[in-house]
Amino acid sequence: MPLPVPVLPDGVDPAWLPEEAFRPVGGRRVLIRGSGPLVETVHGEVAEACARFGGALAEDDPELVLEATGDDGSEAFTLGRRDGRTTVTASGGRGLLYGFFHVVRLGEAAFQGERRAEEHRPASALRMLDHWDNVAVHPVMGQVERGYAGGSLFWADGRARGELERVRAYGRLLAACGINAVAVNNVNVHETEARLLTDRIGEVADIAAALRPYGIRTQLSVTFAAPIVLGGLETADPLDDSVRRWWAGATARVYEAIPDFGGYVVKADSEGQPGPFAYGRTHADGANMLAGALAPHGGTVHWRAFVYDHRQDWRDRTTDRARAAYDHFVPLDGRFAPNAVLQVKHGPMDFQVREPVSPLIGAMPHTALAVELQATQEYTGQQRHVCWLGPMWSEVLRFGPAAGRGFEELVAVSNVGDDPFWTGHPLAQANLYTFGRLAWRPDADPGAILDEWIGLTFGADGPAKELHAVLDGSWRTYEKYTAPLGVGFMVQPGHHYGPSVDGYEYSPWGTYHFADRDGVGVDRSSATGTGYAGQYATPWAETYESPGTCPDELLLFFHHVPYGHVLKSGRTVIQHIYDTHFEGVAEVEAAMAVWASLKGRVEPARHARVAERYEEQLRCAREWRDQVNSYFFRKSGVPDERGRTVY
Ligand code: GCU
């Protein structure tokens, strides 16, 4: 039985799967071979496309053959074309589904010329989105923590929303870019959310059922204190037998409800969440206890490495938040169970527009690692600004192997909500799509992924050149008008939107720039600073150690330098700050003009939404420019050598 394609609720944007994208497949004679649930998903897709575009499911003379030779869980597929016939072969339904969407991506090109059989297989087995969705509206964080796209797709006001057709449509979009796992609730697990693990697991099971036909396994964020808050035990000590038994029982019941459940995501001993430290145990003890409960069922625990002191004294200049994850976890290398994956933020701080790659990624060869990216634009314009993160992620993903060590899995914090455009800013869809494609192939050219997204979303005749221009440089533009040279933050405390140069300077969060009348930046060298640079392997430790070799874009992350310090670019630090802030605003103006010129060439609702957000981006970029430039002018007394207005 073909599985019907989900029907989008009225007014919801089809994102990268508009009907037109299926024309090349839908107009052809297609043969489907194989059986199993995911083959039925493909069958439904083809049937729908053919019904719309005049093709047919046909035994004879097919132009497209989609064949699953078995029913295993492999995600690989082979695509080839000979004698006027395009063939996708996979050893199971999962691979076939990805092969089908690959054909959709190729469009007409999939049906032209000859194509040598080519195997496609994902570089990492798990490509997960973490939703920071609360079940109940949180008094400070709202329905979705750091969410900029409306409410949650899964939850509203303390309950499952039950809009499973929309969840299905979401699963379809994710499958089409290669994502295969979703964690459905916030890593900060409040009381209502905690209950999803036990008496409310049925609500999670409904979501899992909607996502399953698209090859997506569901995961749950759980609280380490669950044995106490849900089980009535007196302790959550990971070495206590009653605690282990409680987790084993709770986990077995989860698997009764969701047989292909993926596992747990845990934020422990981090920003106030409970964890093993309370019992004098290590994070390996904590993670392994949960891994033990999941192992009999084939599940995995994702244990987050985001552990640091968020109650720092800003007067204490020896404590460095950037060091924390490495200091906590590297001594535990080799002590994690095989199904415990350490989930590491890509940088040592917190998803700033520019950070070095976390040194942890190179330093735990005996531990399974997942790199965590942030699609939700917490510090990158909150989906009011265009900021396509593809180039940044690509740099991060290429750095790992270059540093002598890769990672096993990729995770991103989701940027999706119940907004009709899914991501608030319609162009932020590109971030979600790019994450999926990079997770499948971390060495892919991000620019090519961007073009693929543009082609699917705006159609083969869309204004591809203009859209590429608007998005491609947008991350660097954002960097230019915000915190300079890797120093980070300078955002408004709490909500993290808009400039506040000293917003976190005297705070307990460990996020400082140390600007004074002579200079700016954080000395993280081994010789005179916090020693963070020494956490890297050769050659990076040496490269970052000295201001002479440290890359310009990270200079203030690693060093405190005088305003007159000359960068590799030839400019002084102070002049760089002035120049980039003027340039950043000018680039926003230019991008905005390009977008305005597309009126009539892109769908009106999308055009209007983006145009409106550009107004806000420009307002905010000017605010950033003027606050940052004035701040540094006032601190340093050095005028802009080009005489522009600094207040
Ligand atoms: C950031 C973010 C929090 C989030 C945390 C995390 O600090 O501001 O909202 O909970 O990251 O990754 O756990």
Side-chain angles (χ1 to χ4, degrees), residues 132 145-146 188 267 271 304 306 345 350 378 496:
W132 286 356
E145 180 153 339
R146 313 303 181 189
N188 294 318
K267 172 176 179 176
E271 300 184 331
R304 296 179 81 231
F306 187 54
K345 287 193 184 189
D350 195 14
E378 175 176 359
H496 300 165

Side-chain angles (χ1 to χ4, degrees), residues 168 339 357 430 512:
R168 258 163 42 75
N339 64 328
V357 175
Y512 314 120

Side-chain angles (χ1 to χ4, degrees), residues 179-470:
I179 291 162
N180 69 357
V182 168
V184 296
N185 64 307
N186 191 0
V187 289
N188 294 318
V189 184
H190 315 289
E191 208 187 317
T192 311
E193 288 74 30
R195 303 208 158 272
L196 296 175
L197 175 64
T198 51
D199 42 316
R200 299 188 59 174
I201 193 66
E203 294 169 56
V204 182
D206 290 343
I207 296 168
L211 296 175
R212 185 172 297 119
Y214 297 97
I216 292 163
R217 286 175 83 179
T218 298
Q219 312 237 352
L220 209 53
S221 294
V222 297
T223 169
F224 195 76
I228 301 172
V229 294
L230 303 174
L233 303 188
E234 282 187 349
T235 177
D237 182 348
L239 300 190
D240 182 290
D241 277 342
S242 62
V243 170
R244 289 169 172 272
R245 274 198 304 277
W246 187 86
W247 276 109
T251 304
R253 285 186 291 279
V254 169
Y255 277 89
E256 275 164 30
I258 310 170
D260 61 348
F261 180 68
Y264 301 138
V265 178
V266 188
K267 172 176 179 176
D269 291 318
S270 166
E271 300 184 331
Q273 294 294 305
F277 284 162
Y279 309 97
R281 309 300 185 197
T282 70
H283 277 241
D285 294 331
N288 292 347
M289 186 260 300
L290 293 175
L294 288 156
H297 311 282
T300 303
V301 58
H302 283 84
W303 189 269
R304 296 179 81 231
F306 187 54
V307 177
Y308 69 99
D309 180 4
H310 70 291
R311 296 205 181 92
Q312 245 173 268
D313 182 349
W314 58 267
R315 299 164 191 84
D316 163 20
R317 296 200 48 166
T318 59
T319 306
D320 178 8
R321 172 170 165 181
R323 293 187 55 114
Y326 183 104
D327 285 343
H328 281 298
F329 286 96
V330 170
L332 300 177
D333 188 29
R335 290 173 52 191
F336 287 91
N339 64 328
V341 178
L342 193 62
Q343 188 165 311
V344 187
K345 287 193 184 189
H346 68 80
M349 297 296 274
D350 195 14
F351 302 132
Q352 300 305 293
V353 67
R354 176 75 70 170
E355 289 188 37
V357 175
S358 168
L360 203 59
I361 296 170
M364 297 192 70
H366 307 294
T367 306
L369 294 185
V371 171
E372 185 180 293
L373 308 172
Q374 196 185 43
T376 195
Q377 290 171 237
E378 175 176 359
Y379 295 98
T380 50
Q382 303 198 349
Q383 280 133 264
R384 290 185 244 183
H385 299 218
V386 183
C387 186
W388 175 60
L389 297 165
M392 170 167 109
W393 293 341
S394 174
E395 282 183 17
V396 169
L397 300 179
R398 286 164 197 243
F399 184 92
R405 168 80 169 89
F407 45 84
E408 283 70 25
E409 301 180 347
L410 263 178
V411 177
V413 182
S414 158
N415 62 353
V416 171
D418 67 356
D419 169 70
F421 287 101
W422 303 91
T423 51
H425 199 305
L427 300 181
Q429 290 174 4
N431 282 329
L432 185 60
Y433 184 86
T434 302
F435 164 68
R437 299 289 288 138
L438 280 177
W440 183 282
R441 262 199 64 188
D443 63 345
D445 169 15
I449 294 176
L450 178 61
D451 290 337
E452 200 178 271
W453 174 78
I454 292 170
L456 284 168
T457 307
F458 294 86
D461 308 324
K465 221 176 74 212
E466 290 86 345
L467 287 162
H468 189 103
V470 156

